[in-house]
Amino acid sequence: MRNYRLELDLQLFSQEKTEKATPKKMNEARKKGQIARSADLPGSFVLLFTFLGFIMLGGFYKQHIMSLFGNLFESWLLMELNAESVITLFNNIVFELLLTLLPIFAIAMIIGIVGNIVQFGFLLTGEPLKMTFTKINPINGFKQIFSMRSLVEFLKSVLKLLIIGILVFAAISKEWERILVLASMPLQQIFSFTADLTIRLGVEIGAVLAVLAFADYLYQRYEHNKSLRMSKQDIKDEYKKTEGDPIIKGRIKEKQRRMALQRMMQEVPNADVIITNPTHFAIALKYDASRMEAPKIIAKGMDHVALRIKEIAKENGVITMENKPLARALYERAEIGDVIPPDLFQAVAEVLAYVYKLKGRAKSTS
């Protein structure tokens, strides 16, 4: 009974989503449009930079607004009314309005795009627009209404309204005496005061909302990463899908190792000499002066592989020589198919010369 409970606890633990999402899962979620994003960040940036644009382009706005209303009150009210003049009046008003609003639209569009790209980069996907039954499921909708996310959004909205109210109240309280005497001021001073107060409030509110939006983005990023968490079993399953079952991969590697060992053993009869340790290492060397610049290792192994190399060499009449330091050096410093290291040329040349002498044939080793 205890073992069953322990096994059950281990299974439950392996299903707990405690692990960070893998790059593969994060990439799949991104393709589906599941990203860490704060909808407030672009909006707050647009508000802030629009009012900053009013400050930087104040002369431009003043010129076009004065031109619009100046023409309206000075010229257009005295003009002769007919179809042609009305059309001209309408075109002029529309042109002045568009020219005045163009910088605002440009700033809003550019900052809106940049505000989104800063959060999640460039992403174009139609996955969120696809019709799914879960989106129209009333049970899921009811859960979302009373979820923790909805509560956070509600508190966030209340906080923003509270901060905006405090900023507006503080600004009006500070300028209250001037507001009371606005009626006795010239029109230009009224316009300047109102514009200055509005722009100052807009910049302050935009800056505060930008800070809140950045904090919201960090929260959304935390929630997004939390929603993508995986269990240990999920990671294992993903690894099996991408890399294959470890057991099968192990069998494939073992089969490949055996095939490579078999090919190596087939080269042993072609060796000129087998240098041994004598029991731990065995290295098969071959040298053909017409095709090779230096002797080459065609097989090597240690322990039982070394023993098998020596057995095959004996069966095929390949000479075996014991040289402990040379065998260890060749095994550690060169791989199968490599030529011997230059500093071992002399030692190997002496061995090959002795082998050729034993075979009764003289062969240059240079």
Side-chain angles (χ1 to χ4, degrees), residues 271-292:
D272 291 321
V273 64
I274 308 296
I275 300 176
T276 64
N277 193 26
T279 56
H280 295 296
F281 302 104
I283 295 90
L285 298 178
K286 181 176 179 61
Y287 179 59
D288 186 347
S290 62
R291 294 187 301 170
M292 301 178 186

Side-chain angles (χ1 to χ4, degrees), residues 13 97 171 200-201 209 221 228 231 266-267 270 322 330 357:
F13 177 75
L97 286 174
R200 187 158 25 99
L201 268 175
L209 292 182
R221 190 169 181 175
L228 293 180
S231 64
Q266 291 173 354
E267 291 292 324
N270 300 323
E322 179 181 335
L330 288 172
K357 185 177 180 180

Side-chain angles (χ1 to χ4, degrees), residues 79 217 274 332:
M79 72 180 183
Y217 168 69
I274 308 296
E332 293 177 351

Side-chain angles (χ1 to χ4, degrees), residues 182-198:
L182 277 180
S184 60
M185 290 184 179
L187 183 61
Q188 187 172 0
Q189 290 186 15
I190 294 175
F191 178 80
S192 298
F193 171 78
T194 306
D196 178 68
L197 181 61
T198 303

Side-chain angles (χ1 to χ4, degrees), residues 119-220:
Q119 295 184 78
F120 51 83
F122 182 77
L123 177 63
L124 187 62
T125 177
E127 287 292 329
L129 301 178
K130 289 184 178 180
M131 176 62 72
T132 56
F133 290 104
T134 55
K135 292 181 179 180
I136 59 176
N137 188 337
I139 298 177
N140 290 340
F142 185 78
K143 289 180 179 179
Q144 290 179 359
I145 293 174
F146 295 96
S147 64
M148 180 60 68
R149 181 181 292 272
S150 299
L151 178 60
V152 171
E153 291 295 326
F154 173 74
L155 294 177
K156 186 173 64 177
S157 300
V158 172
L159 179 62
K160 287 192 291 186
L161 288 174
L162 183 62
I163 292 175
I164 292 172
I166 292 173
L167 290 175
V168 172
F169 177 78
I172 293 177
S173 299
K174 186 177 179 181
E175 303 290 344
W176 184 247
E177 294 182 0
R178 293 186 62 185
I179 293 174
L180 293 177
V181 297
L182 277 180
S184 60
M185 290 184 179
L187 183 61
Q188 187 172 0
Q189 290 186 15
I190 294 175
F191 178 80
S192 298
F193 171 78
T194 306
D196 178 68
L197 181 61
T198 303
I199 291 174
R200 187 158 25 99
L201 268 175
V203 172
E204 291 177 358
I205 293 172
V208 172
L209 292 182
V211 173
L212 292 177
F214 181 73
D216 178 60
Y217 168 69
L218 296 179
Y219 170 76
Q220 297 295 340

Side-chain angles (χ1 to χ4, degrees), residues 42-274:
S44 61
F45 280 171
V46 167
L47 179 64
L48 175 61
F49 282 94
T50 298
F51 279 97
L52 289 176
F54 286 146
I55 296 175
M56 293 184 291
L57 302 174
F60 172 84
Y61 287 115
K62 180 179 179 181
Q63 176 185 347
H64 285 276
I65 291 175
M66 295 298 291
S67 174
L68 177 64
F69 287 98
N71 289 333
L72 182 62
F73 289 109
E74 292 178 6
S75 303
W76 296 338
L77 290 179
L78 302 176
M79 72 180 183
E80 183 179 353
L81 290 178
N82 52 52
E84 184 177 351
S85 62
V86 170
I87 293 174
T88 303
L89 171 63
F90 178 77
N91 290 336
N92 290 335
I93 293 175
V94 170
F95 177 77
E96 287 291 338
L97 286 174
L98 289 177
L99 201 60
T100 305
L101 296 175
L102 183 61
I104 300 175
F105 291 152
I107 292 173
M109 184 175 66
I110 294 172
I111 297 301
I113 294 174
V114 172
N116 283 294
I117 292 178
V118 166
Q119 295 184 78
F120 51 83
F122 182 77
L123 177 63
L124 187 62
T125 177
E127 287 292 329
L129 301 178
K130 289 184 178 180
M131 176 62 72
T132 56
F133 290 104
T134 55
K135 292 181 179 180
I136 59 176
N137 188 337
I139 298 177
N140 290 340
F142 185 78
K143 289 180 179 179
Q144 290 179 359
I145 293 174
F146 295 96
S147 64
M148 180 60 68
R149 181 181 292 272
S150 299
L151 178 60
V152 171
E153 291 295 326
F154 173 74
L155 294 177
K156 186 173 64 177
S157 300
V158 172
L159 179 62
K160 287 192 291 186
L161 288 174
L162 183 62
I163 292 175
I164 292 172
I166 292 173
L167 290 175
V168 172
F169 177 78
I172 293 177
S173 299
K174 186 177 179 181
E175 303 290 344
W176 184 247
E177 294 182 0
R178 293 186 62 185
I179 293 174
L180 293 177
V181 297
L182 277 180
S184 60
M185 290 184 179
L187 183 61
Q188 187 172 0
Q189 290 186 15
I190 294 175
F191 178 80
S192 298
F193 171 78
T194 306
D196 178 68
L197 181 61
T198 303
I199 291 174
R200 187 158 25 99
L201 268 175
V203 172
E204 291 177 358
I205 293 172
V208 172
L209 292 182
V211 173
L212 292 177
F214 181 73
D216 178 60
Y217 168 69
L218 296 179
Y219 170 76
Q220 297 295 340
R221 190 169 181 175
Y222 166 77
E223 285 292 321
H224 175 69
N225 293 334
K226 183 179 178 181
S227 67
L228 293 180
R229 282 180 185 172
M230 304 172 68
S231 64
K232 295 183 182 297
Q233 187 61 42
D234 293 335
I235 295 177
K236 290 180 181 179
D237 294 341
E238 182 184 289
Y239 179 80
K240 287 182 180 180
K241 289 179 181 179
T242 54
E243 301 294 333
D245 194 322
I247 298 176
I248 297 176
K249 286 185 66 179
R251 290 176 181 173
I252 293 173
K253 287 183 178 179
E254 178 63 21
K255 188 174 181 180
Q256 291 173 342
R257 189 187 68 81
R258 289 180 181 177
M259 292 175 64
L261 182 63
Q262 185 178 1
R263 287 194 299 269
M264 184 185 72
M265 293 302 180
Q266 291 173 354
E267 291 292 324
V268 173
N270 300 323
D272 291 321
V273 64
I274 308 296

